[in-house]
Coordinates of all heavy atoms in Angstrom, one line a residue:
P1 N 100.8 109.4 107.9 CA 101.8 110.3 108.5 C 103.2 109.6 108.6 O 104.2 110.3 108.4 CB 101.2 110.4 110.0 CG 99.8 110.1 109.9 CD 99.6 109.1 108.8
E2 N 103.3 108.3 108.7 CA 104.6 107.7 108.7 C 105.2 107.7 107.3 O 106.5 107.7 107.2 CB 104.5 106.2 109.2 CG 103.7 105.3 108.5 CD 102.2 105.2 108.9 OE1 101.7 106.2 109.4 OE2 101.6 104.1 108.8
M3 N 104.4 107.8 106.3 CA 105.0 107.9 104.9 C 105.5 109.4 104.7 O 106.6 109.5 104.2 CB 103.9 107.6 103.8 CG 104.4 107.6 102.5 SD 105.7 106.3 102.2 CE 106.1 106.4 100.5
K4 N 104.8 110.3 105.2 CA 105.3 111.7 105.1 C 106.6 111.8 105.9 O 107.5 112.5 105.4 CB 104.3 112.7 105.7 CG 103.1 112.9 104.8 CD 102.2 114.0 105.4 CE 101.0 114.3 104.6 NZ 100.2 115.4 105.3
E5 N 106.6 111.2 107.1 CA 107.9 111.3 107.9 C 109.0 110.7 107.2 O 110.2 111.2 107.2 CB 107.6 110.7 109.2 CG 108.7 110.9 110.2 CD 109.0 112.4 110.5 OE1 108.1 113.2 110.6 OE2 110.2 112.8 110.7
L6 N 108.8 109.5 106.6 CA 109.9 108.8 105.9 C 110.4 109.7 104.8 O 111.6 109.8 104.6 CB 109.4 107.5 105.4 CG 110.3 106.5 104.7 CD1 110.6 106.8 103.3 CD2 111.5 106.1 105.6
L7 N 109.5 110.3 104.0 CA 110.0 111.2 102.9 C 110.9 112.3 103.4 O 111.9 112.6 102.8 CB 108.8 111.7 102.1 CG 108.0 110.6 101.3 CD1 106.8 111.2 100.8 CD2 108.8 109.9 100.3
K8 N 110.4 112.9 104.5 CA 111.2 114.0 105.1 C 112.5 113.5 105.6 O 113.6 114.1 105.4 CB 110.4 114.6 106.2 CG 109.2 115.4 105.7 CD 108.4 116.0 106.8 CE 107.2 116.8 106.2 NZ 106.4 117.3 107.3
E9 N 112.6 112.3 106.2 CA 113.8 111.7 106.7 C 114.8 111.5 105.5 O 116.0 111.6 105.7 CB 113.5 110.4 107.3 CG 114.7 109.6 107.8 CD 114.4 108.2 108.3 OE1 113.3 108.0 108.9 OE2 115.1 107.3 108.1
A10 N 114.2 111.1 104.3 CA 115.0 110.9 103.1 C 115.5 112.2 102.5 O 116.3 112.2 101.6 CB 114.2 110.2 102.1
G11 N 115.1 113.4 103.1 CA 115.5 114.6 102.6 C 114.7 115.1 101.4 O 115.1 116.1 100.7
I12 N 113.5 114.5 101.2 CA 112.7 114.9 100.1 C 111.8 116.1 100.5 O 111.2 116.1 101.5 CB 111.8 113.7 99.7 CG1 112.8 112.7 99.1 CG2 110.7 114.1 98.7 CD1 112.0 111.3 98.8
C13 N 111.8 117.1 99.6 CA 110.9 118.3 99.8 C 110.4 118.8 98.5 O 110.8 118.3 97.4 CB 111.8 119.4 100.5 SG 113.1 119.9 99.6
N14 N 109.5 119.7 98.5 CA 108.9 120.3 97.3 C 108.4 119.2 96.4 O 108.6 119.2 95.1 CB 109.9 121.2 96.5 CG 110.2 122.4 97.4 OD1 109.3 122.9 98.1 ND2 111.4 122.9 97.3
Y15 N 107.7 118.2 97.0 CA 107.2 117.0 96.2 C 105.8 117.3 95.7 O 105.0 117.7 96.4 CB 107.1 115.8 97.2 CG 107.0 114.5 96.5 CD1 107.2 113.3 97.3 CD2 106.7 114.3 95.2 CE1 107.0 112.1 96.8 CE2 106.6 113.0 94.7 CZ 106.7 111.9 95.5 OH 106.6 110.6 95.0
S16 N 105.7 117.1 94.3 CA 104.4 117.3 93.7 C 104.2 116.1 92.7 O 105.2 115.6 92.2 CB 104.2 118.6 93.1 OG 105.3 118.8 92.1
I17 N 102.9 115.8 92.5 CA 102.6 114.8 91.5 C 101.5 115.4 90.6 O 100.5 116.0 91.1 CB 102.0 113.5 92.2 CG1 103.1 112.9 93.1 CG2 101.6 112.5 91.1 CD1 102.5 111.7 94.0
W18 N 101.7 115.2 89.3 CA 100.9 115.8 88.3 C 100.2 114.7 87.5 O 100.8 113.6 87.4 CB 101.6 116.7 87.4 CG 102.3 117.8 88.1 CD1 103.5 117.7 88.8 CD2 101.9 119.1 88.2 NE1 103.9 118.9 89.3 CE2 102.9 119.8 89.0 CE3 100.8 119.9 87.8 CZ2 102.8 121.2 89.3 CZ3 100.8 121.2 88.1 CH2 101.7 121.8 88.9
L19 N 98.9 114.9 87.1 CA 98.2 114.0 86.3 C 97.7 114.6 85.0 O 97.1 115.6 85.0 CB 97.0 113.5 87.2 CG 96.0 112.5 86.6 CD1 96.7 111.1 86.3 CD2 94.8 112.3 87.5
T20 N 97.9 113.8 83.9 CA 97.3 114.2 82.6 C 96.8 112.9 82.0 O 97.5 112.0 81.8 CB 98.2 115.0 81.7 OG1 97.5 115.3 80.5 CG2 99.5 114.2 81.5
G21 N 95.4 112.9 81.7 CA 94.9 111.6 81.3 C 95.2 110.5 82.3 O 94.8 110.6 83.5
D22 N 95.8 109.5 81.9 CA 96.2 108.3 82.8 C 97.7 108.5 83.3 O 98.2 107.6 84.0 CB 96.0 107.0 82.1 CG 94.5 106.7 82.0 OD1 93.7 107.3 82.7 OD2 94.3 105.8 81.1
E23 N 98.4 109.5 82.7 CA 99.9 109.6 83.1 C 100.1 110.4 84.3 O 99.5 111.5 84.5 CB 100.5 110.2 81.8 CG 100.5 109.3 80.6 CD 101.3 110.0 79.5 OE1 102.4 110.4 79.7 OE2 100.7 110.0 78.4
L24 N 101.0 109.9 85.1 CA 101.4 110.6 86.3 C 102.8 111.1 86.1 O 103.6 110.4 85.5 CB 101.4 109.7 87.5 CG 100.1 109.2 88.1 CD1 100.2 108.0 88.9 CD2 99.3 110.4 88.7
F25 N 103.2 112.3 86.6 CA 104.5 112.8 86.6 C 104.7 113.3 88.0 O 104.0 114.1 88.5 CB 104.6 114.0 85.6 CG 106.0 114.6 85.7 CD1 107.1 114.1 85.2 CD2 106.1 115.9 86.4 CE1 108.4 114.7 85.3 CE2 107.3 116.5 86.5 CZ 108.4 116.0 85.9
G26 N 105.8 112.8 88.6 CA 106.2 113.2 90.0 C 107.5 114.0 90.0 O 108.4 113.7 89.2
Y27 N 107.6 115.0 90.8 CA 108.8 115.7 90.9 C 109.1 116.0 92.4 O 108.2 116.4 93.2 CB 108.7 117.1 90.2 CG 109.8 118.0 90.5 CD1 111.0 118.0 89.8 CD2 109.7 119.0 91.5 CE1 112.1 118.9 90.1 CE2 110.7 119.9 91.8 CZ 111.9 119.8 91.1 OH 112.9 120.7 91.4
Y28 N 110.4 115.9 92.8 CA 110.8 116.3 94.2 C 112.3 116.7 94.2 O 113.0 116.5 93.2 CB 110.5 115.3 95.3 CG 111.1 113.9 95.1 CD1 112.4 113.7 95.4 CD2 110.3 112.9 94.7 CE1 112.9 112.3 95.3 CE2 110.8 111.6 94.6 CZ 112.1 111.3 95.0 OH 112.6 110.1 94.8
E29 N 112.5 117.5 95.2 CA 113.9 117.9 95.4 C 114.5 117.1 96.6 O 113.8 116.8 97.6 CB 114.0 119.4 95.7 CG 113.5 120.2 94.5 CD 113.3 121.6 94.7 OE1 113.4 122.1 95.8 OE2 113.0 122.3 93.8
C30 N 115.8 116.9 96.5 CA 116.5 116.0 97.6 C 117.5 116.8 98.3 O 118.6 117.1 97.8 CB 117.2 114.8 96.9 SG 116.0 113.8 95.9
R31 N 117.3 117.2 99.5 CA 118.2 118.0 100.3 C 119.5 117.3 100.6 O 120.5 117.9 100.8 CB 117.5 118.4 101.6 CG 116.4 119.3 101.5 CD 116.0 120.0 102.8 NE 115.0 121.0 102.4 CZ 114.0 121.3 103.0 NH1 113.6 120.6 104.1 NH2 113.2 122.3 102.7
K32 N 119.4 116.0 100.7 CA 120.6 115.2 101.0 C 121.1 114.4 99.8 O 121.9 113.5 100.0 CB 120.3 114.2 102.2 CG 119.8 114.9 103.4 CD 119.4 114.0 104.6 CE 118.9 114.7 105.7 NZ 118.5 113.7 106.8
G33 N 120.6 114.7 98.7 CA 121.0 114.0 97.4 C 120.1 112.8 97.0 O 119.4 112.3 97.9
T34 N 120.0 112.6 95.7 CA 119.2 111.5 95.3 C 119.6 110.1 95.7 O 118.7 109.3 96.0 CB 119.1 111.6 93.7 OG1 120.4 111.4 93.2 CG2 118.4 112.8 93.2
E35 N 120.9 109.9 95.9 CA 121.4 108.6 96.4 C 120.9 108.4 97.8 O 120.4 107.2 98.1 CB 122.9 108.5 96.3 CG 123.4 108.3 94.9 CD 124.9 108.1 94.8 OE1 125.5 107.7 95.8 OE2 125.4 108.4 93.7
H36 N 120.9 109.4 98.7 CA 120.5 109.2 100.0 C 119.0 109.0 100.1 O 118.5 108.1 100.8 CB 120.8 110.5 100.9 CG 120.2 110.4 102.2 ND1 120.8 109.7 103.3 CD2 119.1 111.0 102.7 CE1 120.1 109.8 104.3 NE2 119.0 110.6 104.1
A37 N 118.2 109.7 99.3 CA 116.8 109.6 99.2 C 116.4 108.2 98.7 O 115.5 107.5 99.3 CB 116.2 110.6 98.3
A38 N 117.1 107.7 97.7 CA 116.8 106.3 97.3 C 117.2 105.3 98.3 O 116.4 104.3 98.5 CB 117.6 106.0 96.0
A39 N 118.3 105.4 99.0 CA 118.7 104.4 100.0 C 117.7 104.4 101.2 O 117.4 103.3 101.6 CB 120.1 104.8 100.5
V40 N 117.3 105.6 101.6 CA 116.3 105.6 102.7 C 115.0 104.9 102.4 O 114.4 104.1 103.1 CB 116.0 107.0 103.2 CG1 114.9 107.1 104.2 CG2 117.3 107.6 103.9
Q41 N 114.5 105.2 101.1 CA 113.3 104.6 100.6 C 113.4 103.1 100.4 O 112.5 102.3 100.7 CB 112.8 105.3 99.4 CG 112.4 106.7 99.6 CD 112.0 107.4 98.3 OE1 110.9 107.3 97.9 NE2 113.0 108.1 97.7

C-alpha cells in the first residue's frame, strides 16, 4: 500500500506493465510531469 501511495504522490496514474517472453514494458502517465515523478521516486 505504501508503494501505491508513493506512486500517487508522484502524480503517476494509468500505470500498466506488460510482459512478453522475458521482456517487461511499463507505461504510465505523470499528472505533475516526468521530472516531478522521478524526483519523488
Side-chain angles (χ1 to χ4, degrees):
E2 62 268 33
M3 186 62 178
K4 285 183 179 180
E5 188 59 37
L6 184 277
L7 294 173
K8 290 177 183 179
E9 178 187 325
I12 293 172
C13 60
N14 296 323
Y15 194 168
S16 58
I17 301 173
W18 302 81
L19 176 66
T20 180
D22 290 338
E23 294 179 53
L24 293 163
F25 172 79
Y27 168 85
Y28 56 79
E29 296 170 355
C30 306
R31 291 190 170 142
K32 301 176 183 178
T34 56
E35 286 185 23
H36 175 78
V40 170
Q41 292 177 85

